[in-house]
Amino acid sequence: MNPLKKYVCTVLFFGMAILSPLKAQSDLEIRKAFEQYGEKKGVVMVELSSEMLAGYDFSLFKSLTISNNPAAGDFIRKCLIKDEAGAKKVKQVVANGKPTSVYLQLPRKSDLYRLILFNETQKSENKITLIYIESKNDSEDILKLILKKK
């Protein structure tokens, strides 16, 4: 293979590897929450893919942890309502008329199972956690794995 073709193939391969996690979430409303709050002060965003997740058998893990920002919780809940429309399985805990914990099993995207977890606590501080996971494992298996690893 000539050097130019080799270079082009390499660039395309790495470009697809970098963009694939972005594409996978592109049809979801919660991507707006990651975009809007991911780099705000006081917010912790974690994004891991492939090799960092080998022990969990995930292909993508994204999370947001937000403290003392009830408006963010309201925004995320609106996003979840839209994503819930296509979800296969929905479980919720409602307190004072608001969902405080939400579990959404989304339709598969190619060979990946997709899962959204949301939790908001009102203890001494308002703390919001939003998690998005992609895996080749069924979402029930993902939940078992997460609970077991704790």
Side-chain angles (χ1 to χ4, degrees):
M1 183 181 280
N2 79 35
L4 180 59
K5 282 185 180 180
K6 193 173 186 178
Y7 174 76
V8 170
C9 288
T10 303
V11 169
L12 286 174
F13 173 77
F14 284 112
M16 288 176 14
I18 290 169
L19 293 176
S20 65
L22 300 173
K23 235 173 61 178
Q25 209 180 345
S26 65
D27 65 327
L28 299 176
E29 207 58 30
I30 61 154
R31 91 180 135 62
K32 293 178 182 177
F34 286 100
E35 291 168 358
Q36 184 168 333
Y37 293 100
E39 297 191 18
K40 296 261 184 191
K41 185 176 179 178
V43 173
V44 177
M45 183 168 82
V46 176
E47 183 170 354
L48 304 171
S49 60
S50 303
E51 58 280 344
M52 294 293 291
L53 298 167
Y56 289 91
D57 208 16
F58 299 163
S59 51
L60 178 64
F61 175 95
K62 284 181 85 169
S63 71
L64 282 177
T65 303
I66 305 169
S67 296
N68 297 319
N69 190 340
D74 292 338
F75 180 80
I76 293 169
R77 270 189 282 282
K78 286 178 185 171
C79 293
L80 290 169
I81 289 169
K82 291 181 180 177
D83 289 336
E84 184 180 320
K88 291 170 52 178
K89 188 179 286 185
V90 178
K91 295 180 183 175
Q92 291 187 18
V93 174
V94 177
N96 299 321
K98 284 179 162 179
T100 56
S101 291
V102 177
Y103 157 78
L104 298 178
Q105 178 184 339
L106 302 166
R108 287 174 68 170
K109 187 99 173 185
S110 66
D111 63 340
L112 296 173
Y113 288 93
R114 304 179 305 155
L115 180 67
I116 298 173
L117 302 165
F118 168 80
N119 188 60
E120 182 175 20
T121 60
Q122 298 287 332
K123 295 182 181 171
S124 61
E125 66 176 340
N126 175 270
K127 189 167 221 165
I128 298 162
T129 305
L130 176 66
I131 299 172
Y132 173 75
I133 298 171
E134 292 179 353
S135 175
K136 290 189 178 188
N137 292 334
D138 181 78
S139 59
E140 293 294 326
D141 293 336
I142 296 168
L143 277 179
K144 288 177 191 170
L145 180 64
I146 291 170
L147 296 173
K148 186 174 115 179
K149 293 273 185 178
K150 265 187 162 179

